[in-house]
Amino acid sequence: MVAMLRQSVRESDTAPTIFDFFLYKAVMFLACTEHVPRARREFSDEWPYHITARCINKDWFRLPIEEVWKIFEDYLFGAYLFYNLKIHAFVLMDNHFHLIATTPDANLNAAMHYLMMSSSREITRMSKRINQTYGGPYHASLIKDDRYYLQVYKYVLRNPVEAGMEEKVEHYKYSTLSVLLGTTKSCIPAADEYLKENLDKKIMWLNEEHGQEAKKKIQLGLRRPVFEIPIDRASRKHREIL
């Protein structure tokens, strides 16, 4: 099916039309879903995930970040449209991204396969790079505790500040926070219940540093398939983040 669609696009002698644009998007969608790998575990339809992926060899995307942002805008919208991916937060960095999302259809593997394959293909094409874009598959950590969720949410949105790219979380353009605040226009369908009330107070909280110890605990927790703070060896109990 994909091969037939590709051939029809190639053989067209007329100038591209809006139909051709949607036909091209259909080709990309089908190409990314024909060989979806089998999930290695059962995925949740209730709890959110923290998801991240990094460029190969920790290299940068080799495109201006505004161009990479536009690519992710298109395919995050596609993941929402085709896979019902509920996007809570997305932050694009120079060589990786952070995504917090929920999958009501328990189809994270399929949604991320589409997002990773589509964005990789487009970034590789536009940057004319020889190697693949990503250094490996995405990593996801399931967050099954509301207290942990808020700390991970803060950790994600503070990434540009911690990296010295901005002074305030709300000033960073390549984050769905700026989209939700209305300072950046984007087609990314971000939905964030947390910011609906007491906005000023919550922005102030997001701008407060975690502290090195708390940040280290969060980073260790995110390495696990299910987010969990490491056990304190002395008390044999799970440590609190703060």
Side-chain angles (χ1 to χ4, degrees):
M1 180 62 178
V2 172
M4 292 173 61
L5 284 171
R6 282 189 179 130
Q7 190 65 23
S8 68
V9 172
R10 290 194 186 109
E11 292 178 352
S12 176
D13 296 326
T14 59
T17 65
I18 189 67
F19 172 78
D20 295 322
F21 171 78
F22 284 110
L23 183 60
Y24 169 77
K25 293 296 184 182
V27 169
M28 293 299 99
F29 169 67
L30 290 172
C32 291
T33 55
E34 277 191 329
H35 304 291
V36 176
R38 183 179 297 177
R40 296 181 180 179
R41 60 183 178 183
E42 183 178 349
F43 292 106
S44 173
D45 60 359
E46 178 183 5
W47 298 101
Y49 292 90
H50 169 268
I51 307 150
T52 188
R54 188 177 295 274
C55 282
I56 190 169
N57 297 325
K58 297 185 179 179
D59 197 2
W60 57 295
F61 284 112
R62 296 191 181 180
L63 283 175
I65 194 169
E66 58 268 21
E67 293 186 22
V68 182
W69 175 258
K70 290 177 183 177
I71 291 169
F72 273 103
E73 280 185 312
D74 287 344
Y75 293 114
L76 282 169
F77 182 79
Y80 162 78
L81 187 65
F82 298 134
Y83 296 96
N84 196 25
L85 185 73
K86 303 301 183 186
I87 301 163
H88 306 301
F90 176 76
V91 174
L92 178 64
M93 303 293 284
D94 286 335
N95 66 354
H96 66 284
F97 67 80
H98 292 272
L99 171 65
I100 299 178
T102 304
T103 52
D105 299 332
N107 59 348
L108 181 69
N109 207 43
M112 289 306 301
H113 180 72
Y114 163 80
L115 179 63
M116 297 278 287
M117 290 293 290
S118 301
S119 60
S120 176
R121 182 184 293 110
E122 193 70 3
I123 292 169
T124 300
R125 182 187 69 81
M126 291 182 65
S127 64
K128 296 180 172 59
R129 64 187 302 158
I130 299 174
N131 297 326
Q132 63 191 43
T133 296
Y134 298 109
Y138 70 91
H139 173 75
S141 182
L142 185 64
I143 308 168
K144 300 176 71 173
D145 187 304
D146 290 338
R147 297 170 302 166
Y148 291 163
Y149 172 82
L150 289 178
Q151 297 298 332
V152 172
Y153 176 85
K154 180 178 181 177
Y155 170 80
V156 166
L157 293 179
R158 284 193 55 79
N159 248 250
V161 177
E162 297 289 340
M165 301 170 76
E166 272 294 354
E167 294 185 358
K168 300 288 185 180
V169 293
E170 65 270 28
H171 294 167
Y172 189 63
K173 292 170 57 177
Y174 308 110
S175 163
T176 50
L177 178 62
S178 66
V179 176
L180 292 165
L181 294 176
T183 56
T184 297
K185 292 184 178 180
S186 174
C187 64
I188 298 176
D192 191 343
E193 296 292 328
Y194 176 68
L195 293 176
K196 283 190 173 181
E197 298 178 353
N198 302 317
L199 180 60
D200 292 341
K201 184 177 180 181
K202 288 173 180 176
I203 294 296
M204 287 179 60
W205 177 73
L206 290 171
N207 278 308
E208 294 174 1
E209 293 185 16
H210 263 125
Q212 289 302 314
E213 184 64 25
K215 187 166 66 172
K216 183 178 179 181
K217 291 175 183 177
I218 294 170
Q219 290 170 340
L220 289 172
L222 288 174
R223 293 179 186 176
R224 302 172 180 235
V226 177
F227 184 92
E228 190 175 55
I229 299 301
I231 292 177
D232 188 306
R233 293 182 179 179
S235 64
R236 303 303 300 169
K237 294 181 179 179
H238 291 289
R239 301 168 179 169
E240 293 296 328
I241 293 179
L242 299 175

